[in-house]
Amino acid sequence: MIMLAASSFDDIIAITVFSIFVSVAFSAAGGEGENMTVKVMIGMNIFYIITGMFFGAIIGFAMGAFNKIQASEGCVKWSKFVVMLTLAILTPVFCNNTGFEESKYIGIITFGFVCFKVWGEKKPDEELAKFWKICQPFLFGTIGASVQFDSMDGGVVGYALLLICIGLIFRWFATYSAVSMESGKYSTKERGFMAFAWMPKATV
């Protein structure tokens, strides 16, 4: 459970910081927002992130109304799943059309977390697991297909691999150190397992 909880929290931190760095980098390269100062851009990104969390939480709490529906448990769970999936798909579309691009990912994560809390034991976890088995190959296949190797500078591939390796090493030691702070709670094998299990996230 601690791995699952930490993964969700880590996603929030990674998306937040990454959004800020990407905005600053594209601005420095002469992209959108080039007339803004770094402080203003960081402030705007923080505003977008807070906005995404706020509306994600609001929608998530509203989903608690499903718990009051008088129907069979299976029907209610499938209804929850369909509505949750629909809102998760429409959120990026809405954010892109309203100029809140940086709010979409953090909004979806917050939305899912709040749904998990308000639904408790009545959450559609089995329905989501069935959908995920079908969706996962397409999702990661699409991500892989988006990498344009023909436009990639071959000279930076080695640096990119080196950067990933450095990230993996620091990730391993950071995770191992974090779970070692409470002495006696985890064995050496458990701490090592957490450190290795956490390494793939560094490639993201």
Side-chain angles (χ1 to χ4, degrees):
M1 289 301 295
I2 190 173
M3 291 290 292
L4 295 176
S7 295
S8 298
F9 186 71
D10 178 76
D11 285 338
I12 294 175
I13 296 176
I15 291 173
T16 302
V17 178
F18 181 76
S19 298
I20 295 174
F21 284 165
V22 166
S23 297
V24 174
F26 275 100
S27 175
E32 184 179 354
E34 60 180 327
N35 295 324
M36 295 185 184
T37 64
V38 174
K39 291 182 179 180
V40 172
M41 293 191 63
I42 293 176
M44 289 296 295
N45 275 274
I46 294 175
F47 169 74
Y48 291 143
I49 291 165
I50 294 175
T51 302
M53 293 179 67
F54 175 76
F55 283 101
I58 293 296
I59 300 173
F61 280 117
M63 298 290 280
F66 279 95
N67 292 337
K68 301 178 182 180
I69 297 177
Q70 300 296 325
S72 63
E73 184 177 350
C75 180
V76 173
K77 282 191 173 182
W78 274 108
S79 299
K80 290 178 179 178
F81 166 74
V82 172
V83 175
M84 178 186 65
L85 180 63
T86 303
L87 289 175
I89 294 174
L90 291 178
T91 297
V93 177
F94 176 79
C95 291
N96 288 335
N97 290 332
T98 56
F100 283 79
E101 291 88 351
E102 306 299 336
S103 301
K104 54 189 176 184
Y105 300 121
I106 197 72
I108 293 174
I109 292 175
T110 306
F111 168 64
F113 175 76
V114 175
C115 286
F116 171 81
K117 299 297 290 184
V118 299
W119 285 338
E121 297 298 326
K122 299 180 180 180
K123 56 184 175 292
D125 47 356
E126 294 182 2
E127 291 76 10
L128 185 60
K130 292 177 182 178
F131 174 77
W132 181 244
K133 288 181 180 179
I134 301 174
C135 180
Q136 187 175 11
F138 293 100
L139 175 63
F140 287 99
T142 303
I143 294 174
S146 66
V147 180
Q148 300 177 0
F149 291 98
D150 55 344
S151 61
M152 186 180 299
D153 184 1
V156 303
V157 174
Y159 291 108
L161 294 175
L162 177 62
L163 182 62
I164 291 176
C165 291
I166 293 174
L168 291 174
I169 293 172
F170 276 93
R171 187 85 167 181
W172 194 96
F173 281 106
T175 306
Y176 191 91
S177 301
V179 295
S180 299
M181 296 179 66
E182 298 186 38
S183 59
K185 187 172 183 178
Y186 304 105
S187 65
T188 302
K189 289 184 178 180
E190 288 174 332
R191 291 194 293 267
F193 170 79
M194 291 184 183
F196 280 109
W198 206 247
M199 285 176 65
K201 291 185 70 62
T203 59
V204 177

